DNA sequence: TTCATGTATGTAACCGTTTACACATTTAAA
DNA sequence: TTTAAATGTGTAAACGGTTACATACATGAA
């Protein structure tokens, strides 16, 4: 059995209060006593029980991290950013995938609370914001905007705008703009940005709606796109996964890239640079976003004054080989 | 404040013991009483505090998941398999990345224990197995063999053998065999398997050692490989990330794939099928491995009889376009 | 009718910490 | 020298559940 604070107290010949004092460096402890206690701890290989601590203090060193799906290549980077930053602060992660499913989300939120997490980072896009109301612990939304909660997100609208601008500047004349899933807000932002920019230009374009970011679905839309708009010479994809599917289908149809058709993705997931031709895209700084979210959350946990509740991260056009040179 | 069992008891006009009984469906409770209690719970929006429960029972519904790095595309699949299976059993995940760093690993292991996790799944490859000894809760090793602990892993040696067999069968004559990082055991297994098979053949081959699976490093080895062995016409890479780097370098050097040089990877990470040319590889069923590991762990937690402590998952050759047809 | 058994509920101890409070001793200021 | 403040330590009550044990009534068999 693991040693308890009582075992240590007995071994050191003091009371549990004294042990607790050296443990937490609170109150007065005589140097000699401290030494005896520290030695007893070492001797018994003592490590305080976080559960007992958490019960009394009504707060743990745990935070809840809720992602849509870690299997989507955009999220591991986010998660890693979050973890690296939380790690430094001594926090640990209770992790869940929501699949953008309201029931699952609620279930995880409940277990977070029941386990006394001291904060939550959520990257889900469910409407059910009400899940978070009345939660009494800080919540930071990641990859998602919110007027009610602190949030960290990339400037999707500007990203969409840049993508449109770049593809037009590079000479596409008959553009297809893919509109991502309606319930994924960042997808709508980037769509909106691109839409406005295209509308401002005198370029013909079509809009095609999609309903998921799964590669298997994207393959279908890719086929549909070239069936419906065979003369498309530029595609603004809703993210890199969809862009990859488009790229593949275009190649399969014998189109030359970027000569016959230009493609711009969104996210800059790690594999995008490895495709052939490598994918031009709008980069979101995922790792940094994760870090920012964690920092913001920690500040809220510590009740520090926070000046910017909403951190909008910059997006950048990554020029690779699915776009022509200007 | 959240309602406690005492609040519910008061509201329902019973003792906490009775509330606990309806909560856990233990002992006798009169139907009428149960109804009153259930209503009080609903009314107060009561949800039991897992921390208090965990403290008394000395066990939680948490399990610890330790991965080398979620950012490595092989692991999200594993993680997802683990999560999906644990979810079903009502378990939640405490998550950490070890970076194959012994200190970090130990740190996470400690917090797992301090938080009363009821089991651990570890996919690290540190020598420091001693970290796990005397842990008193079940541990399952994932993507790693162990004689002392239950484990789930792919048949790396057979995978290496198959890769060698296939590349030889398809006509490579001057093969370079990449040996993965020495401390990553699965990398050694696949190397060993390939080595034995190649030795058995009458084909010339070189062995080149590498020390990490990071893409940036792999790019360097790719350059080095073609510098040292410019006439190589077949590469058995230590995993798909390394294979991708080789593929890129070969393309950059103007080599035709698979005519001039064949490449076989290992893992079959999601992006491998998206490369151009798409990567032939040895597939490990990552998602299923995660599931198996979770199932195995749950059986141990429930102290069920387990017939196979070591689950070796099959590997398969995925024929794509970096190998020639037979 | 008696008594063993089943049903129903409550009291209080316990899980391993933290901390309010009490008490004693030392130190330093008046 | 007196005394307030600083130092050092212990006791016991929390935290929110679970459960051993006690108690009481209802039921049915002997």
């Amino acid at each position: 059995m693991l040693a308890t604070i009582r075992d240590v107290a007995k071994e050191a010949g003091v009371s549990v209060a004294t042990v607790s004092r050296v443990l937490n460096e609170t109150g007065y402890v005589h140097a000699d006593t401290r030494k005896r206690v520290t030695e007893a701890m070492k001797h018994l290989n003592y490590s305080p029980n976080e559960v007992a601590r958490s019960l009394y203090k009504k707060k743990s060193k745990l935070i809840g991290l809720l992602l849509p799906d870690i299997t989507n290549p955009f999220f591991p980077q986010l998660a890693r950013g979050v973890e690296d930053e939380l790690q430094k602060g001594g926090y640990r992660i209770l992790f869940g995938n929501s699949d953008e499913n309201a029931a699952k989300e609620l279930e995880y939120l409940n277990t977070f609370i029941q386990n006394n997490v001291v904060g939550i980072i959520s990257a889900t896009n469910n409407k059910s914001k009400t899940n978070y109301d009345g939660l009494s612990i800080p919540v930071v939304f990641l990859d998602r905007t919110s007027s009610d909660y602190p949030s960290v997100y990339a400037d999707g609208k500007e990203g969409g705008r840049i993508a449109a601008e770049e593809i037009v500047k590079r000479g596409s004349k008959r553009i297809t703009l893919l509109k991502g899933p309606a319930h994924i807000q960042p997808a709508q932002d980037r769509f909106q940005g691109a839409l406005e920019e295209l509308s401002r230009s005198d370029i013909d374009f079509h809009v095609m709606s999609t309903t998921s970011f799964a590669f298997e679905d994207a393959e279908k839309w890719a086929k549909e796109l070239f069936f419906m708009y065979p003369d498309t010479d530029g595609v603004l994809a809703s993210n890199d996964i969809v862009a990859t599917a488009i790229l593949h289908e275009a190649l399969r149809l014998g189109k030359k890239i970027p000569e016959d058709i230009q493609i711009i993705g969104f996210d800059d997931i790690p594999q995008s640079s490895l495709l052939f031709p490598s994918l031009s895209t709008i980069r979101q700084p995922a790792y940094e976003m994760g870090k920012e979210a964690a920092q913001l959350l920690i500040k809220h946990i510590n009740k520090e004054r926070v000046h910017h509740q909403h951190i909008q991260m910059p997006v950048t056009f990554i020029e690779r080989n699915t776009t022509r040179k200007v």
Side-chain angles (χ1 to χ4, degrees), chain A residues 204-216:
Chain A
D204 285 357
F205 67 96
H206 308 287
V207 170
M208 195 176 141
S209 289
T210 66
T211 56
S212 96
F213 279 151
F215 187 75
E216 293 68 29

Side-chain angles (χ1 to χ4, degrees), chain A residues 52-68:
Chain A
R53 220 173 227 188
S54 170
L55 177 60
Y56 183 86
K57 315 240 304 190
K58 292 169 186 281
K59 54 166 69 173
S60 63
K61 290 301 268 182
L62 266 27
I63 76 103
L65 174 63
L66 193 61
L67 298 180

Side-chain angles (χ1 to χ4, degrees), chain A residues 63-281:
Chain A
I63 76 103
L65 174 63
L66 193 61
L67 298 180
D69 180 10
I70 191 70
T71 263
N72 173 328
F74 177 66
F75 293 109
Q77 313 276 337
L78 269 194
R80 197 61 216 259
V82 168
E83 196 225 349
D84 285 356
E85 202 61 32
L86 288 178
Q87 241 267 110
K88 284 191 217 158
Y91 294 98
R92 295 298 126 104
I93 294 178
L94 220 45
F95 173 72
N97 292 113
S98 74
D99 291 320
E100 300 285 9
N101 168 330
K104 253 185 159 176
E105 174 167 353
L106 191 55
E107 196 182 350
Y108 270 115
L109 252 24
N110 274 339
T111 51
F112 289 168
I113 298 301
Q114 286 159 14
N115 283 285
N116 274 1
V117 301
V118 71
I120 292 175
I121 294 180
S122 172
T124 62
N125 273 282
N126 246 298
K127 318 264 138 22
S128 46
K129 187 183 61 56
T130 71
N131 283 354
Y132 297 88
D133 291 340
L135 227 45
S136 87
I137 53 167
V139 174
V140 169
F141 283 124
L142 180 50
D143 188 34
R144 165 178 179 182
T145 58
S146 165
S147 46
D148 305 334
Y149 292 92
S151 57
V152 175
Y153 56 93
D155 190 349
K157 196 160 176 189
E158 172 68 3
R161 198 195 62 69
I162 296 176
E165 183 182 64
E166 294 290 344
I167 208 166
V168 167
K169 187 161 70 179
R170 286 168 164 74
S172 287
K173 301 290 183 203
R174 294 172 305 280
I175 293 171
T176 303
L177 170 57
L178 289 173
K179 182 177 173 203
H183 63 289
I184 312 274
Q185 197 202 322
Q188 294 312 304
D189 293 345
R190 59 190 79 158
F191 168 72
Q192 212 55 44
L195 184 65
E196 287 176 14
E197 179 68 21
L198 287 181
S199 306
R200 230 173 276 132
S201 75
D202 52 358
I203 300 283
D204 285 357
F205 67 96
H206 308 287
V207 170
M208 195 176 141
S209 289
T210 66
T211 56
S212 96
F213 279 151
F215 187 75
E216 293 68 29
D217 295 328
E219 287 179 310
K220 285 180 224 139
W221 292 312
K223 280 198 199 317
E224 195 179 323
L225 187 156
F226 288 114
F227 178 74
M228 292 180 61
Y229 312 117
D231 61 345
T232 285
D233 68 349
V235 177
L236 295 175
S238 40
N239 76 357
D240 284 357
I241 295 177
V242 174
T244 303
I246 306 283
L247 173 60
H248 272 237
E249 183 62 16
L251 249 25
R252 209 184 59 80
L253 293 173
K255 293 179 188 282
K256 287 213 163 43
I257 301 174
E259 292 78 5
D260 299 343
I261 182 169
Q262 302 191 96
I263 303 172
I264 298 183
F266 207 105
D267 283 352
D268 194 25
I269 58 180
Q271 68 196 52
S272 296
S273 64
L274 308 178
L275 298 173
F276 187 86
S278 58
L279 183 67
S280 295
T281 191

Side-chain angles (χ1 to χ4, degrees), chain A residues 30-58:
Chain A
H30 192 93
D32 296 353
T33 311
R34 179 187 322 270
K35 185 144 175 269
R36 286 213 317 285
V37 170
T38 320
E39 272 164 10
M41 285 178 177
K42 193 154 292 173
H43 183 219
L44 296 173
N45 194 19
Y46 170 77
S47 209
N49 180 322
E50 285 297 335
V51 176
R53 220 173 227 188
S54 170
L55 177 60
Y56 183 86
K57 315 240 304 190
K58 292 169 186 281

